[in-house]
C-alpha cells in the first residue's frame, strides 16, 4: 500500500535531481528543467500532505498556484533564453556575463 512516506521520498528524489541539475549544468535550458523539477517536488509535497494529514483541499489549491507559477516562469525564461541565443548564439550561463556591459 502506498503511503505518505512513499510520496515524500519521491518528492525528495525529485527535489535532489532538480537541485543537482540547477547547480551542475551550464546550459540555461537544463537549469530551467531543474527548476521545474524542484517546483514539481514542492507541489507533490503539498498534495500528499493535504491528502494524508489534513484531508482538506488546501494542498491542491497551493499546487494549482505552483503549476501556474511554473508555467509563467517557463514562458518568461524561455523568452529570455531565445533572446540570448538570438544575440549571442549561445545559451551557456557562464557566458551571459557580457550583459553587464
Amino acid at each position: 500500500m502506498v503511503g505518505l512516506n512513499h510520496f515524500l521520498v519521491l518528492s525528495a528524489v525529485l527535489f535532489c535531481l532538480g537541485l543537482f541539475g540547477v547547480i551542475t549544468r551550464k546550459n540555461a535550458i537544463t537549469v530551467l528543467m531543474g527548476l521545474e523539477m524542484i517546483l514539481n517536488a514542492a507541489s507533490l509535497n503539498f498534495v500528499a500532505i493535504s491528502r494524508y494529514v489534513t484531508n482538506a483541499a488546501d494542498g491542491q489549491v497551493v499546487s494549482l498556484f505552483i503549476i501556474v507559477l511554473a508555467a509563467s516562469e517557463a514562458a518568461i525564461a524561455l523568452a529570455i533564453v531565445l533572446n540570448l541565443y538570438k544575440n549571442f548564439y549561445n545559451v551557456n550561463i557562464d557566458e551571459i556575463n557580457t550583459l553587464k556591459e
Side-chain angles (χ1 to χ4, degrees):
M1 183 164 183
V2 179
L4 178 62
N5 291 334
H6 294 93
F7 288 111
L8 294 180
V9 168
L10 177 63
S11 176
V13 168
L14 277 174
F15 183 82
C16 289
L17 287 174
L19 190 64
F20 178 76
V22 168
I23 291 174
T24 61
R25 302 297 177 197
K26 293 182 181 181
N27 191 347
I29 295 174
T30 56
V31 170
L32 291 174
M33 289 173 55
L35 284 174
E36 293 291 329
M37 289 179 70
I38 290 172
L39 289 173
N40 285 333
S43 179
L44 180 63
N45 268 339
F46 280 120
V47 170
I49 289 175
S50 73
R51 165 66 174 91
Y52 286 100
V53 176
T54 62
N55 282 330
D58 296 337
Q60 285 87 356
V61 172
V62 173
S63 178
L64 183 64
F65 283 120
I66 290 174
I67 291 170
V68 170
L69 173 77
S72 63
E73 175 260 332
I76 292 170
L78 284 176
I80 291 170
V81 167
L82 287 174
N83 197 9
L84 284 173
Y85 184 75
K86 185 176 86 171
N87 291 331
F88 299 110
Y89 303 107
N90 200 354
V91 291
N92 286 339
I93 294 175
D94 294 340
E95 299 175 12
I96 294 177
N97 61 0
T98 57
L99 292 175
K100 293 179 185 176
E101 296 174 355

